[in-house]
Amino acid sequence: MPAAAAAAPAAAETPSLPSLNVQDSPTGFGILTGEASPLHLQPLDLLGHDAPSAMPLANPVLTPWQLPGVAALGVPTLAPSPHDTREAHMFFAARVCGATGRWGIAVAVSVNGGWTWRPLGWALRDPSADLMGAAAFNHNGTWYLVPETGGRRGVQLYRATRFPTAWELLSVLVEPEQALQGVGLVHHAGHWWLLGSQPSARPGGEDHELVVYRAPSPEGLWTPYGPGSFAAKAATGSPGAAFVWQGVLHRLGRSCRRGACGEVQLVQVALTDGKLQQSSQPLGLIQSPWLQRARWDSAGWAALSLAQRADGTFLAAVEGRQLPHGPPALPRLLATAVAGFRALALLCIAALLLSAAGQLPTLRGLLLQRRWGSLLLAWTAGQPAAGSRAACKADDMPGAGWPGLQPVTKAHLGAPSGQLRGAALMEAGMQLESGDTRRDSMPRSRCGSASSTYRRGAAASAANSSSSAALPPDAFGSGSSAAGRRMAPQPLLARLRALRWRMLLTAVTLVLALLGFWAARVATRIAAPFADPPVAVPVGGQYSRFTLMVMSYDRRLKELQWYVRHYSQCPSVGEVLVVWNRGPPPVPERHLPSAVPVRVRVERANSMNNRFRPDPDLRFRSVLSLDDDILMPCSTVEAAFAAWRTAPQRLLGFYPRLLLPKQPGGPPTYQFEEFVFEKRAYNTILAGAAFMDAHTFFPLYSSDAVAPARALVDQVFNCDDLLLNFVVANWTAHGEGELPAPVQLMRPRRRLDLSRLSGVGISHNQSRFKAAADRCLASFTRLFGSFPLVERPLPTDYGSPPSCHLGFGLDCMYLADH
C-alpha cells in the first residue's frame, strides 16, 4: 500500500505493516461487552464465542504477534460502524521494531461483533513525532481522526479520504499552552465538546486538570468553556474517552496523584452555565479470569475505550499487560526429592570431615562428650558408641579413647607415693596434650560419673601411700583390674580388623555422599521443565481457555490438592472441574487453593462414566481430562493445547495404546505402552490425559445408543477411556465433511505417573486390569458393529520412548528430553 499520511494537508494512502520479526510485548488488547449498560461489562473469555482454533475465544484478541514489524501496542480506541452492528474498527498506537522506531496509529477491523480482529495496517504516521493514540468519530457520514501527538501543543483534525487507512489534515483545532492528553470529541446538547487533560499547577490536587472547549461543529471555531480548565476527578483519560449515555455526558479517566494512578473510573459530567460538575460511578468489570500467573492481566488497566454500537449494546477495549514471568512453584514431590538428596550428600560429607577432624585429641574429646559425637566416631572410626556395654567399661577408665593415656593399675598404686605422683599420674593423666589433670579434662562415662576408677585410685593412693604393700589384692575390685587388662594393647590381627571396619564405614559414607549428589543432580534435571515460566501459546494470533477436569474421591484428597495447586498455574487453564464420586466433598476455598475458579461437581453414584457426562455449567467446551496422579509441566500442557486447537475434532493426549486382535477377525486385546514403541504405531489415546471437545463428544458418549457399553463400564469399573475412543473414532468415520484422524499423540517433556505411589487405583493389578479391558474391547466391537479405531504410525521425530520397568511398580515415565 502507498505511504501513510504524514502531518501534511495532502491526502495519502497507508502501507501494510512492514514485515519484520515480532518480539514479545507486555501489552495486548482485550474485549469486553455489555448488553445495555457500560457499568456491567463481561470479558470475552466468559461469553462462549468460538472460532475454528479457539473454543472459546479468549483475551487478548490483539497482540504484537499479529502485527509483523511491531514491537509494542497501546491506547486502543474503538470506532463501531454507525449502521452495521457486527462491524467495528480499532485504532491504536503501535511502535515499529528498532531502537529508533517511532509510534504511529495502526488500525484493525472486526466483522463479527468484536470477537476477532484482523490488522489492516497503518492509519497515520508522522516521521517527526510520536502519535500516541487517536480518537475516531463519524459525523454526517464522514470519519474524522484526532491523534494525540507527543510534544506538540496543537490538536490536529484529520478527515478520511479512504476509511480507515487514508487521511488528510484539515486544521489545527486548538493550541493550548500545554500539550493535551486523552483528547476526545463528542456531540452533546447541541454543541461539540473537546475534552482533554494537561499537567496541573494546582497545589495539593491531582497531577492533571481537565480542559474543555466547545464548537458548533467538529471543524468549527473552538472556544474555551468557562475558565477553560477545571480541577476534575479522574482527569487523566485515554483518547476518545468521552461518550453520551442516557442523555448524559460521560468520560473515562484515572485519578493520578504524585505519579501514582488509580483504576479507570466512569465519570458523569454536567456542563451548565460555564461550570463543570462531576460524579464517579464504579465500573462493574469482572477481573478474576485474568489474575493467573504469567498470563495477560487486565487488572491494572492503563487505557480503556468504550463505544456504543448501533443496536445500543456496548463494546469496550482494554489495554492489559503481561504479568511478570516468575517461575512457577515446583511440585512439592520434586522439591522434596531434590532437597532430600542434597541434604543426604551434605550430611555424609560433614560426617567424613568431622570424623577426620576427630583424630585430633582435643576435638576427639569434645566429640566423646556428646552422644551424637560418640555415634559419629563409632560409625566412621570404629569407636564404641556411647551407652553400649563396651563403651561404658571403656569410658570408666581414665584413658579410654585418649591416645597414649593408660589406666591406673595396682602396679601404679603399689609404688611409693612420690613415684606415683611422678610416674603413675604422669602416665595416667599428664600424657594429654593439654597436660591438665582436672576433673573436666577427663572423659565422661555415659553410664556413671566421669573417670570414677581413676578418682578412686588417686584417692586411695593419697590415703595409703605409706603402706601400699599391705593393700589386699582386690582393694579396688576385680572389675577395675579386668578393665585394665582389656584396655591393654591389642594384637596385630585385632588392629587390622578395626582398621578394616573403619575403612568399610568410611567407604560406605563416601558412597552415600556420591549417590546423594548424583540423585540430586538427576532430580534437578527431571524438575527443570517444571521451573520454566508458563506462557500461553496463541494459534493464529488468538488465545483460548480450557477446563481442567479431574475425577476424584475422598481417599485422594491429598493428591487432588497438589494437583490443583500445580495445574492452576498454567496460563490457559480457565477453571478446574472436580468430578467428585464418593465421600464428603471438599470446599474449594478451604481445601483446594488455586489461581483459577474451582468447581466441585458431586455425583449421585460412583461411576467412571461421570467424567464424560454433559455439564451445562461447563465454562469452556475445550476440556483437558487429566488424572490426579499424573504430573506434567505447564509448558507441555500449553504446547499440547495449541496443537489440539489446530484440529479440535479429535483426542490429543500423552498415553498411547495399540489395540489389535490376536488373530484376523477376532476381538482386539489390550496392550500396555511398551507395545506401542515395539510396533511403532498406535490407535488409542487414553482419556486420563487428553484434550477433547466436550460439546461434541460428551453428548455422543451419553447417548442412548451407547447405554449398553456404559453399563459394562459400570459393571467392571473400568474402560471408560476405551469407550470414548470408540465413540470418537466412530463419529469421525461417519461424520460429515473432512475430519482429522480420531487420535493424535504428543510427546511430553516430562510425564511422571504417581499412581503406584498413591496406594489406591484401579490399575494396580495389571492382570486383572487387562482381563477387564479385553472383555470391554470384545463387547464394544460387537456393539459398534466394527472395529473403528484407526492405526497411526508413530512420528519419525517423536524422540526417545518413555522409561519403563523402573522398579517399585512404577509405570512408564518421561524423565528426559528428546
Side-chain angles (χ1 to χ4, degrees), residues 670 672 716-719 761-776:
Y670 189 87
F672 293 96
V716 300
F717 207 74
N718 198 346
C719 306
I762 63 174
S763 61
H764 287 186
N765 189 322
Q766 289 195 354
S767 59
R768 186 184 305 170
F769 179 87
K770 186 180 185 312
D774 289 343
R775 177 185 173 187
C776 291

Side-chain angles (χ1 to χ4, degrees), residues 79 120 196 298 339 364 412 430 443 481 497 529 534-535 539 569 580 657 667 732 768 794 800 811:
L120 297 178
S298 66
R364 187 180 183 88
H412 295 123
M430 301 299 291
S481 178
R497 289 175 179 172
V535 179
V539 177
Q569 301 176 102
W580 195 256
R657 293 292 187 267
T732 56
R768 186 184 305 170
L794 202 66
S800 59
D811 284 337

Side-chain angles (χ1 to χ4, degrees), residues 5-45:
E13 296 185 358
T14 305
S16 59
L17 296 173
S19 179
L20 298 174
N21 291 330
V22 177
Q23 303 297 326
D24 271 348
S25 169
T27 303
F29 301 147
I31 292 296
L32 304 96
T33 64
E35 288 299 323
S37 169
L39 301 180
H40 302 285
L41 302 175
Q42 283 194 319
L44 175 65
D45 309 57

Side-chain angles (χ1 to χ4, degrees), residues 295-479:
R295 72 157 42 159
W296 181 77
D297 171 40
S298 66
W301 291 301
L304 177 66
S305 174
L306 191 62
Q308 194 169 18
R309 293 183 282 201
D311 60 355
T313 60
F314 283 87
L315 185 68
V318 59
E319 174 187 333
R321 299 187 178 276
Q322 194 82 7
L323 289 175
H325 289 305
L330 196 64
R332 184 175 300 175
L333 176 68
L334 294 177
T336 302
V338 172
F341 289 134
R342 287 177 178 171
L344 173 64
L346 293 176
L347 185 63
C348 292
I349 294 298
L352 290 174
L353 293 176
L354 282 174
S355 65
Q359 302 305 316
L360 299 176
T362 303
L363 182 58
R364 187 180 183 88
L366 294 175
L367 291 175
L368 285 172
Q369 293 179 22
R370 300 289 186 269
R371 181 169 180 80
W372 63 266
S374 176
L375 292 172
L376 174 66
L377 292 176
W379 172 255
T380 57
Q383 179 70 24
S388 66
R389 183 174 181 181
C392 291
K393 292 183 178 180
D395 285 348
D396 281 340
M397 302 307 298
W402 296 79
L405 188 61
Q406 300 297 326
V408 179
T409 64
K410 292 181 181 180
H412 295 123
L413 297 176
S417 175
Q419 295 180 14
L420 177 63
R421 294 188 182 91
L425 279 178
M426 179 66 69
E427 183 178 1
M430 301 299 291
Q431 295 176 15
L432 293 170
E433 285 189 3
S434 63
D436 192 355
T437 60
R438 293 176 298 176
R439 176 179 176 180
D440 58 358
S441 298
M442 304 309 297
R444 292 188 177 273
S445 170
R446 297 297 176 187
C447 306
S449 60
S451 307
S452 57
T453 302
Y454 177 80
R455 291 197 304 274
R456 290 198 302 269
S461 174
N464 303 290
S465 60
S466 61
S467 57
S468 59
L471 290 172
D474 295 328
F476 294 90
S478 59

Side-chain angles (χ1 to χ4, degrees), residues 551-553 579-583 603 605-608 610 717:
M551 191 162 57
S552 191
Y553 58 101
V579 180
W580 195 256
N581 270 353
R582 188 180 68 194
E603 301 293 344
N606 184 12
S607 170
M608 300 296 291
N610 291 335
F717 207 74

Side-chain angles (χ1 to χ4, degrees), residues 4 25 74 110 206 305 362 396 650 683 716 722 734 744 748 813:
S25 169
S110 173
E206 293 195 11
S305 174
T362 303
D396 281 340
R650 58 180 172 170
N683 58 9
V716 300
L722 300 180
H734 300 90
Q744 176 65 48
M813 300 189 185

